[in-house]
């Protein structure tokens, strides 16, 4: 029974952080500014490889021209 309470407590803390703390932090001006910049430059922070993003095409072309 004690393990179940501990598990429930850990899950409750994780849920509170996920559903309350993280959305609150995302509204902070500096974080919001960074999120807006990412969106403006069409960068997906969850992308595995940035070379797969359309916004990287000009950068990669420029780098290829330097070699």
């Amino acid at each position: 029974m004690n393990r179940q309470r501990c598990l429930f407590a850990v899950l409750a803390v994780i849920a509170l952080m996920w559903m309350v703390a993280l959305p609150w932090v995302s509204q902070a001006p500096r974080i919001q500014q960074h999120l807006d910049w990412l969106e403006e430059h069409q960068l997906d922070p969850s992308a595995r490889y940035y070379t797969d993003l359309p916004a990287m095409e000009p950068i990669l072309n420029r780098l290829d021209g330097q070699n």
Side-chain angles (χ1 to χ4, degrees):
M1 189 64 135
N2 196 15
R3 281 187 166 181
Q4 288 177 339
R5 286 185 183 173
C6 185
L7 176 63
F8 179 74
V10 168
L11 291 176
V13 168
I14 291 171
L16 277 173
M17 288 188 65
W18 194 268
M19 295 170 30
V20 178
L22 291 177
W24 177 74
V25 168
S26 74
Q27 298 303 314
R30 184 167 178 154
I31 301 296
Q32 191 62 44
Q33 196 175 35
H34 183 67
L35 293 173
D36 291 342
W37 183 88
L38 288 172
E39 187 173 327
E40 179 182 316
H41 289 86
Q42 299 175 340
L43 295 174
D44 181 4
S46 66
R48 183 166 288 227
Y49 301 104
Y50 280 103
T51 55
D52 294 339
L53 296 174
M56 286 300 295
E57 188 89 19
I59 296 169
L60 293 172
N61 290 338
R62 188 179 71 227
L63 291 173
D64 286 341
Q66 289 178 354
N67 293 334

